[in-house]
Amino acid sequence: MSGINRLDGGQIDRNNVLTFSFDGKRYSGFGGDTLASALLANNVRLMGRSFKYHRPRGVFTAGSEEPNALVELRSGARREPNSRATVAELYEGLTAQSQNRLPSLRFDALAFNDTLASFLSSGFYYKTFMWPAAFWEKVYEPLIRRAAGLGRLSGEEDPDTYDKGFLHCDLLIVGAGPSGLAAALTAGRAGAEVILAEEDFALGGRLLAESGILTDRLASDWIEEVTAELVALPNVRLMTRTTVFGQYDHGIFGAVERVSDHLPEPQPNKPRQILWRIYSKRALLNAGATERPIPFENNDRPGIMLAGAMRAYANRWAVTAARNVVIFTNNDDGHRTARDLSEKGVDVAAVVDCRLDAPTSADFEVIEGAKVIGSRGRLGLKAVKMRFKDGSEREIACGALGVTGGWNPNVHLTCHKRGRPEWNGDISAFIPAKSEDLALRVAGAAAGIFSTHGALQSGAQVAIDALNDLGISARFPALPEAEDAPVNIAPFWYVKGGTGRAWLDLQNDVTVKDIKLAHQEGFKSIEHVKRYTTLGMATDQGKTANIGALAVLADIEGKTIPDVGTTIFRPPYTPVSIGTFAGRSRGKEFRPYRLTPSHKWAAEQDAVFVEVGNWLRAQWFPLKGETHWRQSVDREVIAVRKSVGICDVTTLGKIDVQGADAAEFLNHIYCNGFAKLPVGKTRYGLMLREDGLAMDDGTAARLAEDHFIVTTTTANAVSVFRHMEFCRQCLWPGLDVQLISTTEAWAQFSVAGPNARKLMQKIVDTDHDITNEGFPYMACGEITICGGLRARLFRISFSGELAYEIAVPTRYGDALIRRLIEAGKEFDVVPYGTEALGVLRIEKGHAAGNELNGQSTAAMLGMGRMVSQKKDSIGRVLAGRPHLQRDDDYRLIGLLPVNSDSVILAGAHLMNVGMESCAANDQGWVTSAAYSPHIGSSIALAFLKKGDQRHGDVIRIVNPLSDGDIEAKVTSPHFIDPEGERLRV
């Protein structure tokens, strides 16, 4: 029941027996176990296969840095690949499957790759699969895609939810080891707002994995005492199962809280994980250190692991990787592992110490000046081969080997803002560099302080320093007595010699030879070596591999490790699922949309809706008997041209511009003039980018000398407002002008058609004259409607018909659409949606988003004369570049199919008749297309080379995706009322 490798003691709940399965076989463990510790207890050493060569791999670490023991957790829609068995908490019924094997873990047919290792060395993918060319798509790519990746996604929708949240604090403490707990205790007692984030499910950090490092009490007792006090403090927030994965500007940190990963499924109404954005005035990194291995020939067999991990499994989880073990070390920490294991009854066959002055022991054999040079055992370690200092060799039978080459401080978060660590020769590792940025301080092992006494002291002191910055006084707390042993290490990076492979990156199968090959082929920068060999690019991001690779590269070049430098550490510190980043943004919440003021009424009319930018708009309004969308749209278009129609245009951007210099400001923003626009008038305007290309179009209505209303396209409402605000604050800060977006503040409707004035006169209060003489085309004004309701009226038209746009405060939008429809019954008024709106504007030849695509100029749009040369405006100078003023450039034109039954599709390319359909002969493209019930055929707007000189020509419209090829006549883009008489009546 307890497993053959289970030891006495530990911090597990032996009264809570949990059953779980791995690869279909059932096992048992205890509460507090991880999947890795429970498998080791049951003598399961083989847990995975490596990525490239599919070599057998076992657990290597005891934490989040694990490169080998990656499994698929759960089943069905909740299946989660690439889960680290070392941090997966055991729960009743847990189901795990090994991955990256075919068909089974013990017999993996893809292990054949290992026999081809000489052909699959680093960078092989740059040199192979080149011939024959026809094989790539049909043979090579399918095979590579099948073999690529590690785990499998379920392919089903994730049934769980994810959330996002924001937290604020005076001091964020990352890591709850001895230094983190001391810092939290110090800051908490001082009254500071504290967040203590720990990636483990228990507080204590390395204290949980050690024995006897507190000399005046048990570490577990002190952890319990401190935890109880912190829980009782209202100003302290403890966040276990929370990984701080990134540091960003302005004291912002990203963190993932695994709310429900330790449960079979989340509790009702609870998320699985939460993505926190933490705003901290000061932060303290207490992330500890990661042990590094010493590569030697065949150092990747199941049973070979880090010595510190071996000690953690024994002390915390009461598990040994095998009943007889060997330790390979270059520092005193390896001897600590041997002592702890020996005290727990594990047979320590030998401690192989490469130092000549290694400490001795009466409990186990210590072999000084020796090295482990090889191992034996296919699916699990059976023996190691060592070489004495005199050159003789010996094989030692063992089931596990603990390796330690020293410890690397976890400096990653200090590098996320381009910080570079510095080398500390005393511990043979990189430590955080001193920085003037006080937003993040470092303490404990993360700062290179490896003794428990030093960690405790530094945690408290650095917390005091951080709080002093904030004006918060803190006292040094009473801390337990602890070991204060110095670091005693002899740098030894890898075992040289031998004909086999010594593994650096265990997950991506990068060897010492791969680093040497990369250097031989000219990749000398560590950043280039990383990318050429894929070193450190696996899920563990090379936490156990990078220093070894730096040492190899330094050895080749005759440099020191700090001279070689490090790669740049970037967020996230450990893998974060895409679902966590997405949060609730899935399904309908993937991109939340806004509802127009008339949405409720439109839904009552069974309108069909479409997402337009950030809005959900009515696309068309089907009536009974209409079985195709074209029937509805054609009816709406005909009704507008014949009588009157109403469309909700609230979604157009609206920007209120006020101030004594408002006119001057708009004169700079638009390429055409606005300084002399009379009060009560509206003008169409075109905005250019600084490079002279068209940015957006819209209108500006002058309600008073110092008050304008600017409209933008729906898609660019936000970007234009940002652009104008940038110009106001940065380009012309001296102008007296203020901006505010009022898009959501006003409901706006277009009333268009020959009877538009008659309908408007039924709701506009009689003291306002809206006749053609009293309110001519392009007029604007503030009016009242329906007996005193304030409104704004604009006589503008993008349909080519007599039209008004009326705006009221948003809360009256629903009532207004109902009033307009009721008032318009005698005119057979119809509501029309975005499809009809598009047909109407194409018939009129009005440019919209499809034409304003970021590559069109004013000249291309037929608006070249609008770019005033009498004033300075954004984009004016670069719009005059000769390349943008060529006579043979694209020009906006209309297209009519020669055969009226032919359908024109937007995006199709234009080719001359008789010319081959290829990119070299491309004459332009169709920007917008629709069926016009008035023309009786498809019509389109397009950009055509020399288009303004080719009216009457016949051109081919080619769609290479569907082999479409039709002929069309080039026309003016104005299909309806080209003289503009209708809109002025």
Side-chain angles (χ1 to χ4, degrees):
M1 178 68 71
S2 61
I4 64 174
N5 286 335
R6 187 69 74 176
L7 304 174
D8 293 332
Q11 300 170 42
I12 52 177
D13 183 1
R14 296 178 188 266
N15 294 321
N16 183 16
V17 179
L18 304 173
T19 58
F20 68 100
S21 68
F22 179 65
D23 278 350
K25 186 175 181 179
R26 297 188 66 79
Y27 301 96
S28 67
F30 296 117
D33 263 326
T34 64
L35 176 59
S37 67
L39 286 173
L40 285 176
N42 287 277
N43 202 34
V44 177
R45 293 189 295 173
L46 179 61
M47 299 185 193
R49 291 277 179 168
S50 64
F51 174 64
K52 185 164 64 173
Y53 298 129
H54 287 253
R55 286 175 64 90
R57 294 285 161 81
V59 67
F60 190 65
T61 73
S64 61
E65 67 273 20
E66 176 60 33
N68 286 343
L70 304 182
V71 299
E72 295 174 356
L73 289 181
R74 301 178 177 85
S75 59
R78 285 192 169 90
R79 183 168 65 196
E80 183 179 8
N82 301 331
S83 299
R84 290 154 291 167
T86 50
V87 296
E89 296 176 53
L90 202 64
Y91 57 79
E92 177 61 32
L94 180 147
T95 301
Q97 294 282 337
S98 59
Q99 56 185 36
N100 196 41
R101 78 287 192 275
L102 181 71
S104 70
L105 196 56
R106 294 189 65 83
F107 178 78
D108 183 5
L110 293 177
F112 179 72
N113 289 358
D114 200 25
T115 65
L116 304 175
S118 58
F119 301 100
L120 303 178
S121 57
S122 62
F124 77 95
Y125 30 81
Y126 297 122
K127 313 167 190 174
T128 52
F129 309 119
M130 302 295 184
W131 181 88
F135 272 37
W136 172 252
E137 185 174 353
K138 295 182 179 180
V139 179
Y140 298 145
E141 185 179 19
L143 288 174
I144 292 171
R145 289 193 179 277
R146 182 184 176 106
L150 293 171
R152 303 166 299 158
L153 293 170
S154 68
E156 302 176 36
E157 182 179 355
D158 190 338
D160 298 326
T161 59
Y162 302 82
D163 215 337
K164 295 183 180 180
F166 300 82
L167 294 173
H168 299 260
C169 63
D170 294 321
L171 183 64
L172 168 65
I173 301 172
V174 182
S179 62
L181 289 177
L185 196 63
T186 303
R189 289 175 177 175
E193 293 294 326
V194 178
I195 294 176
L196 176 59
E198 169 57 52
E199 68 175 354
D200 203 337
F201 57 87
L203 302 180
R206 196 66 200 175
L207 292 176
L208 301 173
E210 305 291 355
S211 66
I213 58 173
L214 298 187
T215 57
D216 61 348
R217 70 188 81 177
L218 292 176
S220 58
D221 290 344
W222 185 72
I223 294 171
E224 184 178 350
E225 175 187 322
V226 173
T227 301
E229 180 174 348
L230 294 177
V231 168
L233 290 173
N235 55 309
V236 176
R237 182 183 186 122
L238 301 182
M239 301 179 68
T240 56
R241 302 185 178 95
T242 301
T243 300
V244 177
F245 62 79
Q247 180 196 187
Y248 305 91
D249 291 334
H250 313 300
I252 298 174
F253 291 80
V256 174
E257 182 180 7
R258 298 177 297 281
V259 179
S260 306
D261 281 4
H262 61 294
L263 304 172
E265 60 184 65
Q267 296 176 351
N269 302 316
K270 292 289 185 180
R272 181 172 175 183
Q273 295 180 356
I274 300 177
L275 178 68
W276 292 105
R277 175 180 282 197
I278 302 176
Y279 294 80
S280 66
K281 296 178 182 178
R282 290 292 184 270
L284 183 54
L285 180 63
N286 306 271
T290 298
E291 198 169 16
R292 58 178 179 250
I294 302 175
F296 59 88
E297 189 173 327
N298 292 321
N299 62 313
D300 64 331
R301 301 193 193 279
I304 299 177
M305 64 175 64
L306 295 174
M310 189 177 283
R311 187 164 75 249
Y313 283 116
N315 289 326
R316 180 175 178 181
W317 291 287
V319 167
T320 179
R323 286 294 174 175
N324 58 326
V325 303
V326 172
I327 305 298
F328 179 28
T329 183
N330 68 343
N331 63 87
D332 287 351
D333 199 68
H335 293 262
R336 179 185 293 179
T337 298
R339 285 195 301 270
D340 286 0
L341 290 173
S342 180
E343 289 174 0
K344 290 182 175 293
V346 178
D347 177 21
V348 179
V351 173
V352 181
D353 195 323
C354 63
R355 299 174 297 176
L356 296 176
D357 57 348
T360 60
S361 173
D363 299 319
F364 43 80
E365 181 184 9
V366 176
I367 307 173
E368 61 183 23
K371 306 176 185 66
V372 174
I373 61 172
S375 67
R376 179 169 57 83
R378 192 175 70 86
L379 299 179
L381 183 67
K382 294 181 179 179
V384 296
K385 180 186 290 188
M386 55 151 291
R387 178 179 293 133
F388 291 94
K389 59 185 176 182
D390 63 3
S392 60
E393 297 178 358
R394 168 185 163 192
E395 185 175 88
I396 306 175
C398 61
L401 172 68
V403 184
T404 175
W407 293 76
N408 297 322
N410 290 324
V411 302
H412 302 70
L413 259 64
T414 68
C415 302
H416 287 177
K417 290 165 60 177
R418 305 294 290 184
R420 290 283 192 173
E422 61 186 24
W423 185 255
N424 184 322
D426 293 337
I427 61 173
S428 298
F430 284 101
I431 62 172
K434 294 179 180 179
S435 172
E436 295 181 359
D437 183 4
L438 300 180
L440 179 65
R441 287 176 164 90
V442 191
I449 303 170
F450 287 163
S451 77
T452 309
H453 173 79
L456 290 166
Q457 297 292 315
S458 70
Q461 185 58 56
V462 175
I464 292 173
D465 295 341
L467 295 177
N468 282 340
D469 293 347
L470 306 179
I472 300 174
S473 178
R475 295 181 179 180
F476 205 94
L479 296 171
E481 296 295 326
E483 62 81 23
D484 195 19
V487 175
N488 187 354
I489 183 172
F492 185 75
W493 306 110
Y494 66 100
V495 178
K496 301 178 181 179
T499 58
R501 290 165 292 174
W503 305 88
L504 291 166
D505 190 316
L506 294 173
Q507 189 175 136
N508 274 356
D509 282 332
V510 181
T511 66
V512 171
K513 288 182 177 180
D514 288 327
I515 303 298
K516 293 179 178 179
L517 178 62
H519 184 271
Q520 182 180 336
E521 296 189 359
F523 297 93
K524 299 182 180 181
S525 163
I526 187 58
E527 293 286 4
H528 293 161
V529 171
K530 170 183 175 179
R531 285 153 181 81
Y532 190 68
T533 63
T534 70
L535 173 86
M537 295 174 67
T539 58
D540 67 320
Q541 290 291 287
K543 292 181 176 65
T544 61
N546 284 349
I547 292 295
L550 295 178
V552 174
L553 202 58
D555 196 34
I556 296 171
E557 297 195 339
K559 297 180 178 179
T560 64
I561 291 178
D563 288 337
V564 172
T566 66
T567 58
I568 293 179
F569 302 113
R570 300 180 178 89
Y573 174 67
T574 55
V576 179
S577 70
I578 299 299
T580 305
F581 282 122
R584 295 182 178 271
S585 300
R586 56 187 294 188
K588 288 188 176 181
E589 295 181 351
F590 175 70
R591 188 174 63 180
Y593 46 74
R594 302 173 179 175
L595 302 180
T596 61
S598 65
H599 180 84
K600 181 179 179 182
W601 176 86
E604 293 170 0
Q605 315 309 310
D606 297 323
V608 174
F609 294 96
V610 63
E611 289 188 44
V612 180
N614 292 327
W615 297 85
L616 196 64
R617 298 185 67 180
Q619 196 171 14
W620 62 81
F621 294 82
L623 296 180
K624 281 188 177 181
E626 293 177 345
T627 59
H628 191 274
W629 67 270
R630 266 275 310 280
Q631 294 173 299
S632 304
V633 174
D634 289 353
R635 172 182 52 79
E636 293 169 12
V637 171
I638 291 171
V640 172
R641 299 262 184 235
K642 182 179 178 181
S643 182
V644 64
I646 302 170
C647 182
D648 190 331
V649 293
T650 302
T651 62
L652 295 174
K654 308 177 198 68
I655 303 171
D656 213 270
V657 184
Q658 297 190 35
D661 298 321
E664 182 182 349
F665 177 74
L666 293 181
N667 219 34
H668 290 310
I669 294 292
Y670 287 106
C671 66
N672 50 319
F674 278 85
K676 298 180 180 179
L677 180 67
V679 174
K681 285 292 186 179
T682 305
R683 181 167 293 168
Y684 177 83
L686 181 66
M687 289 186 187
L688 303 182
R689 301 187 318 219
E690 291 185 351
D691 60 3
L693 298 182
M695 177 181 179
D696 195 61
D697 71 340
T699 62
R702 192 167 196 172
L703 300 181
E705 286 292 336
D706 59 353
H707 189 189
F708 289 80
I709 302 297
V710 169
T711 65
T712 74
T713 58
T714 296
N716 290 330
V718 174
S719 59
V720 169
F721 178 70
R722 287 175 178 166
H723 168 69
M724 292 176 66
E725 192 62 52
F726 169 80
C727 295
R728 183 187 74 84
Q729 294 186 35
C730 302
L731 302 185
W732 300 290
L735 296 182
D736 178 11
V737 61
Q738 301 296 324
L739 311 174
I740 188 170
S741 173
T742 60
T743 301
E744 299 87 354
W746 292 85
Q748 194 153 319
F749 297 90
S750 174
V751 182
N755 289 321
R757 183 179 294 116
K758 295 178 181 178
L759 172 55
M760 292 301 300
Q761 286 174 333
K762 296 185 69 173
I763 68 165
V764 173
D765 291 345
T766 56
D767 51 347
H768 300 288
D769 181 9
I770 62 169
T771 63
N772 195 45
E773 294 75 21
F775 203 80
Y777 177 60
M778 300 301 281
C780 67
E782 295 183 296
I783 63 170
T784 59
I785 64 172
C786 303
L789 175 65
R790 68 188 182 103
R792 292 170 174 171
L793 189 64
F794 312 88
R795 189 174 167 189
I796 53 181
S797 174
F798 295 101
S799 62
E801 301 293 335
L802 168 65
Y804 298 84
E805 288 190 12
I806 183 168
V808 297
T810 299
R811 62 182 179 274
Y812 299 111
D814 180 75
L816 180 57
I817 185 65
R818 297 177 191 274
R819 186 68 173 269
L820 286 169
I821 293 296
E822 182 65 27
K825 283 184 178 179
E826 66 175 285
F827 309 115
D828 296 323
V829 67
V830 299
Y832 64 97
T834 57
E835 285 294 330
L837 184 68
V839 174
L840 293 167
R841 74 96 182 166
I842 293 173
E843 288 180 335
K844 182 58 181 172
H846 179 70
N850 291 16
E851 288 72 42
L852 301 169
N853 64 349
Q855 62 186 101
S856 53
T857 65
M860 289 172 61
L861 295 165
M863 303 178 190
R865 295 181 181 178
M866 287 182 63
V867 183
S868 173
Q869 301 301 315
K870 298 179 180 180
K871 67 181 184 74
D872 186 27
S873 62
I874 294 176
R876 178 187 68 83
V877 174
L878 293 184
R881 286 177 289 170
H883 180 76
L884 301 184
Q885 299 295 325
R886 304 190 326 267
D887 290 337
D888 62 347
D889 200 4
Y890 298 103
R891 293 293 183 267
L892 187 67
I893 51 100
L895 291 172
L896 281 172
V898 172
N899 182 346
S900 61
D901 294 330
S902 298
V903 177
I904 304 176
L905 297 177
H909 290 260
L910 306 181
M911 302 285 174
N912 288 326
V913 175
M915 298 295 288
E916 179 186 359
S917 299
C918 62
N921 296 327
D922 199 331
Q923 298 295 299
W925 69 95
V926 178
T927 59
S928 303
Y931 177 82
S932 170
H934 297 95
I935 304 298
S937 70
S938 284
I939 61 173
L941 300 178
F943 284 124
L944 176 67
K945 291 180 179 179
K946 300 183 180 180
D948 55 340
Q949 306 170 35
R950 301 180 64 176
H951 290 186
D953 289 359
V954 174
I955 198 91
R956 291 166 52 223
I957 302 177
V958 177
N959 182 357
L961 296 179
S962 61
D963 297 326
D965 194 335
I966 64 174
E967 293 185 344
K969 182 180 179 181
V970 179
T971 70
S972 161
H974 310 295
F975 298 95
I976 298 292
D977 189 25
E979 301 302 323
E981 297 176 355
R982 296 187 187 181
L983 47 80
R984 290 181 170 84
V985 298

